[in-house]
Amino acid sequence: MNKLSLIAAAFITLSMLSCGQQDKSKEVASEQHPHSHGGDSDGHTHGSSAAKETFSIEKLVDEVKTVPDSIIEYLHAQHHQHKVLERRTVPSGYETKNLKYWKDYAAKVEDLPAINPGPGEYVHVMEGYKHGYQNLVIGITETFPGGAPPMHTHKGEESHVLLDGEILYALGDTIFTISAPYIVNIPPMVPHAFKNIGEETANLVVIFPTNVWEYDVLNYFPFEDYDNKGNKIN
Protein backbone atom coordinates (compact mmCIF):
# COMPACT_ATOMS: atom_id res chain seq x y z
CA MET A 1 0.00 0.00 0.00
CA ASN A 2 1.49 3.39 -0.95
CA LYS A 3 1.75 6.42 1.32
CA LEU A 4 -1.32 8.18 -0.17
CA SER A 5 -3.51 5.12 0.42
CA LEU A 6 -2.37 4.89 4.05
CA ILE A 7 -3.27 8.54 4.68
CA ALA A 8 -6.73 8.09 3.09
CA ALA A 9 -7.41 4.98 5.18
CA ALA A 10 -6.44 6.85 8.34
CA PHE A 11 -8.85 9.68 7.56
CA ILE A 12 -11.72 7.24 6.92
CA THR A 13 -11.05 5.43 10.21
CA LEU A 14 -10.99 8.70 12.18
CA SER A 15 -14.24 9.84 10.56
CA MET A 16 -16.00 6.58 11.50
CA LEU A 17 -14.80 6.82 15.11
CA SER A 18 -15.93 10.44 15.32
CA CYS A 19 -19.45 9.61 14.02
CA GLY A 20 -19.74 6.77 16.47
CA GLN A 21 -18.82 9.04 19.39
CA GLN A 22 -21.36 11.67 18.29
CA ASP A 23 -24.14 9.07 18.05
CA LYS A 24 -23.23 7.78 21.49
CA SER A 25 -23.24 11.32 22.88
CA LYS A 26 -26.76 11.86 21.51
CA GLU A 27 -27.94 8.65 23.14
CA VAL A 28 -26.48 9.67 26.51
CA ALA A 29 -27.91 13.18 26.21
CA SER A 30 -31.36 11.79 25.49
CA GLU A 31 -31.13 9.47 28.49
CA GLN A 32 -30.08 12.29 30.78
CA HIS A 33 -32.86 14.68 29.74
CA PRO A 34 -36.20 12.85 29.76
CA HIS A 35 -39.29 14.97 29.09
CA SER A 36 -42.36 13.49 30.67
CA HIS A 37 -45.47 14.45 32.65
CA GLY A 38 -46.94 11.14 33.58
CA GLY A 39 -44.57 9.09 35.59
CA ASP A 40 -41.60 10.49 37.35
CA SER A 41 -41.14 14.00 38.58
CA ASP A 42 -37.87 14.54 36.73
CA GLY A 43 -39.30 14.41 33.23
CA HIS A 44 -42.35 15.25 31.16
CA THR A 45 -43.76 12.28 29.23
CA HIS A 46 -47.39 12.28 28.19
CA GLY A 47 -47.66 8.80 26.68
CA SER A 48 -47.82 9.98 23.07
CA SER A 49 -45.24 11.39 20.67
CA ALA A 50 -47.83 13.99 19.61
CA ALA A 51 -48.49 15.05 23.22
CA LYS A 52 -46.24 18.06 23.67
CA GLU A 53 -46.49 21.06 25.93
CA THR A 54 -47.90 24.06 24.11
CA PHE A 55 -47.08 26.48 26.92
CA SER A 56 -44.44 26.46 29.63
CA ILE A 57 -45.59 25.34 33.09
CA GLU A 58 -42.74 27.07 34.90
CA LYS A 59 -45.34 29.07 36.85
CA LEU A 60 -46.97 25.90 38.22
CA VAL A 61 -48.54 26.55 41.65
CA ASP A 62 -50.38 24.42 44.18
CA GLU A 63 -54.09 25.08 44.34
CA VAL A 64 -55.58 26.32 47.59
CA LYS A 65 -57.97 23.62 48.84
CA THR A 66 -60.54 24.27 51.54
CA VAL A 67 -63.03 21.96 53.27
CA PRO A 68 -66.64 22.86 52.36
CA ASP A 69 -68.83 24.26 55.12
CA SER A 70 -72.52 23.54 55.68
CA ILE A 71 -73.59 26.42 53.41
CA ILE A 72 -71.60 25.06 50.46
CA GLU A 73 -72.95 21.56 51.11
CA TYR A 74 -76.52 22.87 51.25
CA LEU A 75 -76.05 24.77 47.96
CA HIS A 76 -74.83 21.62 46.22
CA ALA A 77 -77.67 19.53 47.62
CA GLN A 78 -80.12 21.80 45.80
CA HIS A 79 -78.62 20.95 42.41
CA HIS A 80 -77.26 17.37 42.38
CA GLN A 81 -76.84 14.20 44.44
CA HIS A 82 -73.04 14.18 44.65
CA LYS A 83 -70.99 15.09 47.72
CA VAL A 84 -68.66 18.08 47.49
CA LEU A 85 -65.13 17.21 48.61
CA GLU A 86 -63.33 20.54 48.51
CA ARG A 87 -63.25 24.02 47.07
CA ARG A 88 -60.21 24.98 45.00
CA THR A 89 -58.85 28.41 44.18
CA VAL A 90 -55.61 29.93 42.86
CA PRO A 91 -53.17 31.36 45.44
CA SER A 92 -53.56 35.08 46.05
CA GLY A 93 -50.70 37.54 46.24
CA TYR A 94 -50.71 38.97 42.73
CA GLU A 95 -51.13 42.71 42.41
CA THR A 96 -53.84 44.14 40.19
CA LYS A 97 -52.35 45.62 37.04
CA ASN A 98 -52.22 49.38 36.62
CA LEU A 99 -53.48 49.69 33.03
CA LYS A 100 -51.34 52.51 31.67
CA TYR A 101 -49.27 51.17 28.76
CA TRP A 102 -50.20 48.68 26.03
CA LYS A 103 -48.13 45.97 27.72
CA ASP A 104 -50.39 46.25 30.77
CA TYR A 105 -53.35 45.24 28.59
CA ALA A 106 -51.71 42.06 27.33
CA ALA A 107 -50.80 38.89 29.23
CA LYS A 108 -48.63 36.09 27.89
CA VAL A 109 -50.05 32.66 28.64
CA GLU A 110 -46.76 31.30 29.96
CA ASP A 111 -46.59 34.18 32.46
CA LEU A 112 -49.91 33.22 34.06
CA PRO A 113 -50.01 30.89 37.08
CA ALA A 114 -50.61 27.27 36.05
CA ILE A 115 -52.44 24.64 38.07
CA ASN A 116 -52.73 20.85 37.76
CA PRO A 117 -56.37 19.95 38.59
CA GLY A 118 -56.12 16.31 37.46
CA PRO A 119 -53.86 13.75 35.72
CA GLY A 120 -52.65 15.09 32.35
CA GLU A 121 -54.51 18.37 32.87
CA TYR A 122 -52.86 21.78 33.34
CA VAL A 123 -54.58 25.17 33.28
CA HIS A 124 -53.07 28.62 32.84
CA VAL A 125 -55.36 30.92 34.81
CA MET A 126 -56.10 34.59 34.20
CA GLU A 127 -58.20 35.97 37.05
CA GLY A 128 -59.99 39.15 36.08
CA TYR A 129 -59.33 41.21 39.18
CA LYS A 130 -55.57 40.77 38.68
CA HIS A 131 -55.67 41.97 35.08
CA GLY A 132 -58.00 44.96 35.06
CA TYR A 133 -61.26 43.15 34.17
CA GLN A 134 -64.49 43.81 36.03
CA ASN A 135 -66.16 40.45 35.49
CA LEU A 136 -64.06 37.93 33.55
CA VAL A 137 -61.92 34.87 34.19
CA ILE A 138 -60.21 32.90 31.42
CA GLY A 139 -58.34 29.61 31.61
CA ILE A 140 -56.38 27.90 28.86
CA THR A 141 -56.14 24.19 29.50
CA GLU A 142 -53.34 21.88 28.44
CA THR A 143 -55.06 18.50 28.33
CA PHE A 144 -52.89 15.60 27.18
CA PRO A 145 -54.37 12.43 25.61
CA GLY A 146 -56.29 10.62 28.34
CA GLY A 147 -56.07 13.65 30.64
CA ALA A 148 -59.07 14.96 32.55
CA PRO A 149 -59.99 17.30 35.42
CA PRO A 150 -62.14 15.98 38.29
CA MET A 151 -65.93 16.25 38.20
CA HIS A 152 -66.71 19.71 39.52
CA THR A 153 -69.09 22.67 39.57
CA HIS A 154 -68.95 26.48 39.45
CA LYS A 155 -71.33 28.94 41.08
CA GLY A 156 -71.74 30.78 37.79
CA GLU A 157 -72.12 29.79 34.16
CA GLU A 158 -69.15 28.75 32.02
CA SER A 159 -68.27 28.42 28.36
CA HIS A 160 -65.81 25.93 26.82
CA VAL A 161 -64.26 26.73 23.43
CA LEU A 162 -62.17 24.23 21.46
CA LEU A 163 -60.93 24.75 17.89
CA ASP A 164 -59.25 21.39 17.34
CA GLY A 165 -59.55 17.95 18.96
CA GLU A 166 -62.04 15.40 20.25
CA ILE A 167 -63.37 15.46 23.81
CA LEU A 168 -65.49 13.12 25.95
CA TYR A 169 -67.83 15.22 28.10
CA ALA A 170 -69.80 14.62 31.26
CA LEU A 171 -72.45 17.32 31.68
CA GLY A 172 -74.84 16.56 34.50
CA ASP A 173 -76.04 12.98 33.96
CA THR A 174 -75.20 13.04 30.24
CA ILE A 175 -71.97 11.72 28.71
CA PHE A 176 -71.21 12.52 25.08
CA THR A 177 -68.35 12.90 22.59
CA ILE A 178 -67.90 16.05 20.56
CA SER A 179 -65.34 17.03 17.92
CA ALA A 180 -64.03 20.57 17.48
CA PRO A 181 -64.66 23.26 16.57
CA TYR A 182 -67.30 23.78 19.23
CA ILE A 183 -68.57 25.90 22.13
CA VAL A 184 -70.19 24.15 25.09
CA ASN A 185 -72.57 26.01 27.42
CA ILE A 186 -72.27 24.86 31.05
CA PRO A 187 -75.02 26.23 33.35
CA PRO A 188 -74.30 27.26 36.96
CA MET A 189 -73.84 24.43 39.51
CA VAL A 190 -74.11 21.67 36.86
CA PRO A 191 -71.51 18.92 37.55
CA HIS A 192 -69.15 18.52 34.61
CA ALA A 193 -65.81 17.14 33.47
CA PHE A 194 -64.09 16.36 30.19
CA LYS A 195 -61.46 13.95 28.90
CA ASN A 196 -59.16 14.27 25.90
CA ILE A 197 -59.78 11.19 23.73
CA GLY A 198 -57.74 12.48 20.80
CA GLU A 199 -54.13 11.74 19.87
CA GLU A 200 -52.83 15.26 20.42
CA THR A 201 -52.78 17.86 23.17
CA ALA A 202 -56.06 19.77 23.50
CA ASN A 203 -55.95 23.46 24.42
CA LEU A 204 -59.43 24.23 25.64
CA VAL A 205 -60.36 27.82 26.52
CA VAL A 206 -62.72 28.19 29.49
CA ILE A 207 -64.52 31.47 30.21
CA PHE A 208 -66.33 32.60 33.39
CA PRO A 209 -68.31 35.82 34.01
CA THR A 210 -66.64 36.34 37.39
CA ASN A 211 -63.42 37.78 38.74
CA VAL A 212 -62.04 34.87 40.77
CA TRP A 213 -61.03 31.34 39.70
CA GLU A 214 -62.99 28.94 41.90
CA TYR A 215 -64.53 25.48 41.60
CA ASP A 216 -65.86 22.70 43.83
CA VAL A 217 -64.63 19.12 43.37
CA LEU A 218 -67.17 16.30 43.71
CA ASN A 219 -66.80 12.71 44.92
CA TYR A 220 -67.68 11.22 41.54
CA PHE A 221 -65.56 10.64 38.44
CA PRO A 222 -67.70 9.90 35.38
CA PHE A 223 -65.07 8.35 33.08
CA GLU A 224 -64.02 5.29 35.09
CA ASP A 225 -65.98 3.03 32.71
CA TYR A 226 -64.54 4.63 29.54
CA ASP A 227 -61.21 3.98 27.84
CA ASN A 228 -58.94 6.68 26.41
CA LYS A 229 -60.80 6.53 23.09
CA GLY A 230 -64.13 7.30 24.73
CA ASN A 231 -65.50 3.73 24.44
CA LYS A 232 -67.55 2.31 27.31
CA ILE A 233 -65.75 -0.72 28.76
CA ASN A 234 -68.29 -1.99 31.32
Side-chain angles (χ1 to χ4, degrees):
M1 184 180 290
N2 59 31
K3 193 173 190 179
L4 190 58
S5 298
L6 284 171
I7 293 172
F11 271 114
I12 292 171
T13 302
L14 285 172
S15 298
M16 291 174 67
L17 287 172
S18 175
C19 289
Q21 287 175 345
Q22 287 177 1
D23 290 341
K24 187 64 178 175
S25 297
K26 290 177 182 177
E27 288 175 11
V28 172
S30 110
E31 288 171 3
Q32 290 175 345
H33 300 282
H35 189 71
S36 67
H37 270 310
D40 66 3
S41 58
D42 294 329
H44 297 290
T45 298
H46 305 290
S48 169
S49 59
K52 298 178 181 177
E53 290 174 3
T54 309
F55 310 108
S56 167
I57 57 169
E58 257 186 56
K59 305 282 187 182
L60 188 66
V61 298
D62 291 328
E63 295 178 273
V64 177
K65 302 176 182 179
T66 56
V67 177
D69 57 24
S70 59
I71 296 175
I72 294 175
E73 291 176 344
Y74 178 79
L75 175 64
H76 280 268
Q78 307 309 303
H79 294 88
H80 57 81
Q81 74 275 20
H82 308 298
K83 179 178 174 59
V84 56
L85 296 178
E86 60 189 15
R87 172 161 289 180
R88 296 183 184 179
T89 57
V90 174
S92 58
Y94 304 92
E95 294 183 5
T96 301
K97 283 186 175 180
N98 179 19
L99 302 180
K100 185 176 181 181
Y101 303 105
W102 72 263
K103 287 185 178 179
D104 301 324
Y105 288 84
K108 284 193 157 188
V109 175
E110 58 264 29
D111 291 335
L112 299 172
I115 57 174
N116 178 209
E121 165 78 357
Y122 295 84
V123 187
H124 288 76
V125 179
M126 190 218 71
E127 294 186 287
Y129 80 94
K130 298 171 185 174
H131 292 268
Y133 289 95
Q134 298 299 313
N135 203 37
L136 185 65
V137 167
I138 294 176
I140 298 182
T141 73
E142 187 96 78
T143 310
F144 299 98
M151 193 75 157
H152 62 281
T153 65
H154 305 279
K155 286 187 291 187
E157 61 187 351
E158 179 185 12
S159 179
H160 285 186
V161 182
L162 186 67
L163 299 181
D164 190 27
E166 189 172 20
I167 302 292
L168 178 66
Y169 266 94
L171 187 59
D173 296 326
T174 303
I175 294 181
F176 60 94
T177 299
I178 184 169
S179 297
Y182 67 72
I183 299 175
V184 172
N185 180 346
I186 301 172
M189 292 304 298
V190 171
H192 60 281
F194 58 89
K195 181 176 182 177
N196 183 2
I197 58 174
E199 297 293 330
E200 299 182 357
T201 302
N203 295 121
L204 180 75
V205 178
V206 299
I207 304 169
F208 306 89
T210 180
N211 251 350
V212 178
W213 178 274
E214 178 184 273
Y215 65 101
D216 294 336
V217 176
L218 307 179
N219 68 336
Y220 168 64
F221 187 65
F223 305 132
E224 289 180 349
D225 296 335
Y226 291 82
D227 63 22
N228 285 346
K229 297 296 182 182
N231 302 311
K232 195 168 177 61
I233 54 180
N234 288 331

